[in-house]
Amino acid sequence: MAAGAAASFGLMDKAYFVGRGEILSWVNATLQLSLNKVEEAASGAVQCQLLDMVHPGLVPMHKVNFDAKTEYDMIQNYKILQDVFNKLRIGKNIEVNKLVKGRPLDNLEFLQWLKRYCDSVNGGIMNENYNPVERRSRGCKERSHKGPTKSSKSLQANRLSSANSADGGALNSNIDLASPIGKVCNAVNEEHYMEQIQQLSEKIADLKVSVDNTEKERDFYFSKLRDIEILCQRPELEHLPMTKGIRKILYAADAKDSSLPEANEIITRSPGMFSVSDEAE
């Protein structure tokens, strides 16, 4: 079946009547995983590797992030998947916004469709020459070379350990085939994430200090204004033009326009403001 035709499965197609238990068994057997829930495939990495199985070499596995936990990282995986769909001329709409939320029904339906597609390509026969664990491991190692130096050193140590424990030339014999998705690249990425967390924690601490200083400055000036307000409320002072001008500024509602001109006008136009000077003349 052509790739384009495979995308035209209707909602009443038998593919959508496959239960989640059968879907999980198929994914786990095909990719040597141990998923317990369909929403554990919400990162898009599983879907990328399923296409890599039926179309070897078409999916850039070194870009697929099996440890994606944030929606941003998951979306990057789906971008890779969409690029592969475009190359294969598959018109299937990938509802990324729903899938990355980890909704069970949306992820189940997409995996049901994907199983139907894979079966239409390979006739339901698994490719015995495809090593899913090796493909994941290679992708993780290639991506780690672009990461921090410390992570690369950690990965190199893991590879040396793997080489020393190899038996009969078997590839990646130190990898637990029953490991669930999400643990494949933990050793490689954990130190990088810890560095990011440390940097963000320092930024947060700096922002807290800045906020505290701003609040202290605000409280200082507020207390001064409050003292002035209390002074202006004294009976012997509240009727004076100067007091009225000050209160005009204190209680101005518009923060954009200055109230100083109006306050000056109140003071200069008040009767008797210049009575002392007038009498002197």
Side-chain angles (χ1 to χ4, degrees), residues 51-68:
L51 279 184
D52 181 65
M53 178 195 65
V54 294
H55 298 289
L58 191 61
V59 180
M61 290 297 294
H62 64 283
K63 294 183 178 180
V64 178
N65 186 357
F66 283 91
D67 198 33

Side-chain angles (χ1 to χ4, degrees), residues 163-174:
N164 293 333
S165 61
D167 183 17
L171 292 171
N172 299 299
S173 58
N174 65 325

Side-chain angles (χ1 to χ4, degrees), residues 156-213:
Q156 185 178 7
N158 289 338
R159 286 196 302 215
L160 290 174
S161 175
S162 174
N164 293 333
S165 61
D167 183 17
L171 292 171
N172 299 299
S173 58
N174 65 325
I175 297 177
D176 182 8
L177 300 184
S179 297
I181 189 172
K183 294 183 179 180
V184 179
C185 299
N186 275 355
V188 178
N189 293 327
E190 182 175 359
E191 191 169 356
H192 175 58
Y193 287 144
M194 290 302 295
E195 290 178 359
Q196 289 184 325
I197 291 173
Q198 180 65 27
Q199 292 175 0
L200 291 174
S201 298
E202 292 176 357
K203 290 182 179 180
I204 291 173
D206 291 339
L207 289 173
K208 286 184 177 180
V209 172
S210 178
V211 170
D212 290 341
N213 291 336

Side-chain angles (χ1 to χ4, degrees), residues 3-281:
S8 61
F9 307 144
L11 289 176
M12 297 307 295
D13 189 277
K14 62 180 182 180
Y16 294 105
F17 292 92
V18 178
R20 68 182 60 198
E22 184 177 346
I23 289 293
L24 287 172
S25 297
W26 170 70
V27 171
N28 290 334
T30 303
L31 301 182
Q32 297 183 18
L33 294 169
S34 58
L35 302 184
N36 297 313
K37 301 177 181 179
V38 292
E39 52 265 38
E40 290 179 26
S43 71
V46 166
Q47 294 84 339
C48 287
Q49 191 168 14
L50 286 171
L51 279 184
D52 181 65
M53 178 195 65
V54 294
H55 298 289
L58 191 61
V59 180
M61 290 297 294
H62 64 283
K63 294 183 178 180
V64 178
N65 186 357
F66 283 91
D67 198 33
K69 293 181 177 62
T70 65
E71 289 190 10
Y72 174 82
D73 290 336
M74 294 179 184
I75 289 173
Q76 305 313 306
N77 285 339
Y78 282 108
K79 285 182 178 179
I80 296 172
L81 188 66
Q82 185 63 65
D83 288 340
V84 176
F85 274 24
N86 293 339
K87 292 178 182 178
L88 295 171
R89 297 182 180 179
I90 297 176
K92 171 68 175 176
N93 179 38
I94 304 177
E95 296 182 323
V96 178
N97 292 334
K98 293 182 179 180
L99 294 172
V100 297
K101 298 296 183 183
R103 298 174 180 174
L105 182 58
D106 294 319
N107 281 275
L108 174 61
E109 289 181 353
F110 193 48
L111 288 174
Q112 288 171 332
W113 177 91
L114 200 55
K115 182 180 187 305
R116 178 76 167 83
Y117 173 77
C118 292
D119 289 345
S120 70
V121 175
N122 59 18
I125 301 174
M126 294 180 60
N127 183 359
E128 296 181 357
N129 297 323
Y130 184 78
N131 189 329
V133 177
E134 180 185 356
R135 287 292 287 162
R136 287 197 295 274
S137 180
R138 284 184 178 180
C140 179
K141 290 177 181 179
E142 290 180 23
R143 282 193 298 111
S144 69
H145 287 308
K146 301 179 181 180
T149 305
K150 293 182 180 179
S151 297
S152 298
K153 291 180 179 179
S154 175
L155 178 60
Q156 185 178 7
N158 289 338
R159 286 196 302 215
L160 290 174
S161 175
S162 174
N164 293 333
S165 61
D167 183 17
L171 292 171
N172 299 299
S173 58
N174 65 325
I175 297 177
D176 182 8
L177 300 184
S179 297
I181 189 172
K183 294 183 179 180
V184 179
C185 299
N186 275 355
V188 178
N189 293 327
E190 182 175 359
E191 191 169 356
H192 175 58
Y193 287 144
M194 290 302 295
E195 290 178 359
Q196 289 184 325
I197 291 173
Q198 180 65 27
Q199 292 175 0
L200 291 174
S201 298
E202 292 176 357
K203 290 182 179 180
I204 291 173
D206 291 339
L207 289 173
K208 286 184 177 180
V209 172
S210 178
V211 170
D212 290 341
N213 291 336
T214 302
E215 289 180 347
K216 289 178 180 179
E217 188 175 3
R218 177 203 63 189
D219 293 342
F220 172 80
Y221 286 111
F222 179 81
S223 65
K224 297 298 181 184
L225 292 173
R226 178 57 180 158
D227 291 342
I228 294 173
E229 182 184 34
I230 294 173
L231 189 64
C232 291
Q233 290 174 350
R234 294 185 59 174
E236 65 271 26
L237 299 176
E238 62 179 358
H239 68 281
L240 296 177
M242 181 64 71
T243 303
K244 293 179 181 180
I246 293 173
R247 293 175 65 179
K248 179 66 177 179
I249 295 174
L250 286 177
Y251 301 142
D254 194 345
K256 294 182 180 180
D257 298 328
S258 174
S259 299
L260 183 59
E262 294 183 37
N264 280 329
E265 187 176 357
I266 292 174
I267 295 172
T268 55
R269 290 188 177 183
S270 297
M273 183 62 193
F274 300 102
S275 57
V276 176
S277 59
D278 292 341
E279 291 177 0
E281 291 178 359

